Amino acid sequence: MSGSSAGSRAKAHTGLMPELPEVDALVHFLGSRIVGDFITRTDIGELSILKTADPPLEAISGLEISGVSRVGKALIIEFDGLDLVCRFARAGWLIWHEQVPTGPVRMGKGPLGLRIHLASGAGFDISEAGTKKNASVALVHDRAEVAAVAGAGPDALSIEDDQFAAVLKGSTARIKTVLEDQSLISGIGNAYSDEILHTAKLSPFAPANGVDAEALLEVIRGVLGAACEALNDLPPAKVKTAKKRGLRVHGRTGQTCPVCGSTIAEVSYADKSLQYCPGCQTGGKKLSDRRMDRLLK
Ligand SMILES: [Zn+2]
């Protein structure tokens, strides 16, 4: 099995799920545009995106947006006494309209999940390009009513040194798995965990409790901080491309490591893959790829 065929197969399922820096970019972009504006109308394009029924979505029509914030990878549009919690899953994103289309929305056709109309004439969509519709919107009195928000661990950009040390010390799981566990530390997904481990020169399969927490946390802050800085002034339509451009190993199977010149390798799972540099991270050794092994038998 050649490396190039593994790489081309990987492309099909290397989804760039929005992570902390991308959602942070949305918070910055929307914060200066929609806070103080009023919702005039909401359109649903995909019924399954709305996870709550009480209060009804119409309850936000006429309300002033009082804030925009983020918990981990979730975006929160705030009203006085209500939170609209938007989660993007693998293929969801936000589309901004300087002039929001006012025509009727065709239900169940295309990527549109929810369209929000603002009094200013602008608006935005929560959309999802994938065939699996996993993006979600919940209208709640308090964000803590959303299990994923209530159960989110400390934010990856603000977790304290001792908190992070305790997270690692308490787990024998692979460090890659721990970094992506939103209940332990929130905001990091598949792409940035690959980038963080590459910068830290750690194998994704290293047991968490053997990792130098202080050094790794410094790398987390560096990688996410740099990504936030690169994305923060961009409109939503440009964020994903800019993210991709900034990645050094994730999604780059078969390419050359910019640090050591080795060929970037991957491990594939049923629905995703991770990338790493054998030269920087695993002493030149290839990690076992169970899916590839199975195909070779
Ligand atoms: Zn390398």
Side-chain angles (χ1 to χ4, degrees):
M1 190 67 65
S2 76
S4 66
S5 68
S8 60
R9 195 179 304 104
K11 264 179 205 154
H13 56 86
T14 304
L16 278 184
M17 168 191 272
E19 300 176 44
L20 185 157
E22 296 90 88
V23 180
D24 218 54
L26 286 184
V27 171
H28 277 248
F29 180 87
L30 293 174
S32 61
R33 283 167 179 80
I34 71 171
V35 174
D37 206 341
F38 290 80
I39 308 269
T40 53
R41 174 176 145 192
T42 56
D43 297 330
I44 287 278
E46 173 61 52
L47 269 180
S48 67
I49 198 170
L50 188 62
K51 302 303 177 194
T52 50
D54 182 27
L57 189 60
E58 299 76 49
I60 60 172
S61 287
L63 294 189
E64 180 180 359
I65 297 169
S66 58
V68 182
S69 57
R70 172 183 71 73
V71 173
K73 299 185 267 189
L75 173 75
I76 300 172
I77 313 288
E78 303 168 356
F79 307 89
D80 185 18
L82 288 172
D83 283 330
L84 187 69
V85 179
C86 307
R87 299 176 64 219
F88 297 106
R90 185 79 67 89
W93 193 232
L94 184 140
I95 295 168
W96 174 255
H97 302 285
E98 289 294 340
Q99 283 296 324
V100 69
T102 53
V105 160
R106 296 204 298 161
M107 286 272 257
K109 307 270 185 205
L112 177 65
L114 170 68
R115 175 165 290 161
I116 302 274
H117 299 249
L118 301 170
S120 63
F124 57 91
D125 300 342
I126 305 296
S127 73
E128 187 169 25
T131 45
K132 277 187 190 163
K133 298 295 182 190
N134 292 326
S136 68
V137 171
L139 182 63
V140 288
H141 291 289
D142 187 307
R143 62 193 63 183
E145 294 169 49
V146 178
V149 171
D155 192 80
L157 275 181
S158 57
I159 191 169
E160 306 276 354
D161 294 44
D162 54 341
Q163 281 179 304
F164 187 63
V167 164
L168 296 198
K169 208 176 159 199
S171 177
T172 56
R174 290 167 171 175
I175 187 64
K176 165 93 174 164
T177 308
V178 170
L179 290 182
E180 289 187 64
D181 185 336
Q182 302 303 298
S183 70
L184 297 175
I185 174 170
S186 66
I188 301 170
N190 195 22
Y192 287 111
S193 58
D194 280 354
E195 296 300 306
I196 287 162
L197 293 172
H198 176 249
T199 301
K201 299 194 185 303
L202 282 172
S203 166
F205 289 179
N209 61 4
V211 167
D212 179 341
E214 201 182 325
L216 181 56
L217 187 53
E218 199 169 310
V219 171
I220 290 173
R221 289 171 180 153
V223 168
L224 295 182
C228 284
E229 203 167 305
L231 304 180
N232 263 347
D233 290 330
L234 298 177
K238 297 203 166 161
V239 167
K240 284 200 169 188
T241 313
K243 172 189 186 177
K244 217 177 240 180
R245 208 184 304 127
L247 300 174
R248 301 198 300 177
V249 286
H250 185 76
R252 299 198 181 279
T253 307
Q255 297 182 27
T256 302
C257 170
V259 176
C260 75
S262 301
T263 301
I264 293 162
E266 76 171 12
V267 178
S268 292
Y269 302 92
D271 62 342
K272 65 177 188 178
S273 60
L274 69 82
Q275 282 78 36
Y276 67 101
C277 170
C280 291
Q281 295 175 256
T282 57
K285 285 198 220 76
K286 281 279 188 80
L287 296 172
S288 162
D289 185 332
R290 283 156 70 194
R291 184 191 61 107
M292 294 301 290
D293 291 347
R294 199 171 61 240
L295 287 171
L296 288 170
K297 272 169 195 162

